[in-house]
Amino acid sequence: GITTGLGMERYGFALFSVWMFQHLTLSMAVPPLLVLGAPGLMLLRSTPHHGPARVIPAAALAALRSRGARWLLSPGVTIPLFLVSYYGIYLSPLFDAVAGTWLGHTGLEVFFLGTGLLFIVPILSVGPLPGRPGYLGRFFDLFVEMPLHVFFGVILMMASVPLVATFAAPPPDWGIDPLDDQQWAGGLAWSYGEPIALAVVVLFAM
């Protein structure tokens, strides 16, 4: 609620730093909390396995064991999606093309949450999955992901011009320099995810 409400959305339309906080929270902080809540297991345990309601757990298990789920949760999909969510969106005209409208802005938020969930589910989920990499494979995925947002943050902090036109002209009465704001966004991208990634590694190793 805090990430997409309490007036933050208004600032997320105009300030890169606020938007980057929203992006990082939705893609890195929220997904592990959702996965650790084991919603899949809760669904399977709380839904009756007899009578008409049994179609719900049966459908859920069939979806989890499908080839589509195996493909979506594979590193060949999750890591490229994570790359696209930073480099492909911000370093191309895509963000400016869609983020100016409420629908595009909200769609990007849903996309970031979805990519974060797809990445973290195979690593932390305790529920049934169509396939689960071994410990070494999951550690490899984590350590591949960790530098991605760090390098992106460095790019933002070192840039001498605004890289995203949407945030190039904050409201004048706010008195915010867009380059300073972009550097704050880069600092968040560089530092925000490291404690979360460390916590995920600790949880995974337990």
Side-chain angles (χ1 to χ4, degrees):
I2 294 176
T3 306
T4 57
L6 298 181
M8 187 172 289
E9 281 285 74
R10 173 174 175 251
Y11 293 101
F13 276 94
L15 297 179
F16 203 172
S17 56
V18 175
W19 170 256
M20 185 56 63
F21 172 80
Q22 292 179 290
H23 176 168
L24 294 166
T25 302
L26 289 169
S27 66
M28 300 192 71
V30 174
L33 297 176
L34 291 176
V35 172
L36 289 173
L41 282 179
M42 291 178 63
L43 173 67
L44 294 175
R45 290 174 178 174
S46 62
T47 307
H49 288 232
H50 303 283
R54 71 181 184 275
V55 69
I56 298 175
L61 283 173
L64 283 171
R65 292 169 178 169
S66 67
R67 290 183 179 179
R70 181 185 296 272
W71 178 77
L72 280 173
L73 296 174
S74 68
V77 172
T78 59
I79 292 177
L81 277 177
F82 215 85
L83 276 169
V84 168
S85 70
Y86 289 96
Y87 302 90
I89 287 179
Y90 295 111
L91 302 183
S92 76
L94 180 59
F95 185 86
D96 290 325
V98 302
T101 66
W102 177 87
L103 184 61
H105 186 96
T106 305
L108 285 172
E109 290 175 335
V110 173
F111 173 75
F112 295 144
L113 178 61
T115 55
L117 283 171
L118 288 175
F119 180 83
I120 207 66
V121 161
I123 295 170
L124 288 184
S125 177
V126 296
L129 293 176
R132 193 188 304 272
Y135 283 99
L136 287 178
R138 284 180 277 172
F139 264 120
F140 175 78
D141 291 348
L142 281 173
F143 284 105
V144 166
E145 176 273 329
M146 287 171 66
L148 297 181
H149 55 86
V150 173
F151 294 147
F152 178 72
V154 171
I155 292 172
L156 293 183
M157 289 189 289
M158 293 184 65
S160 58
V161 296
L163 298 180
V164 181
T166 300
F167 303 116
D173 55 327
W174 290 4
I176 296 175
D177 183 278
L179 276 180
D180 289 341
D181 184 55
Q182 181 170 275
Q183 289 179 348
W184 275 103
L188 280 171
W190 178 74
S191 62
Y192 184 105
E194 294 309 295
I196 297 173
L198 179 60
V200 170
V201 170
V202 171
L203 288 169
F204 171 66
M206 291 176 62

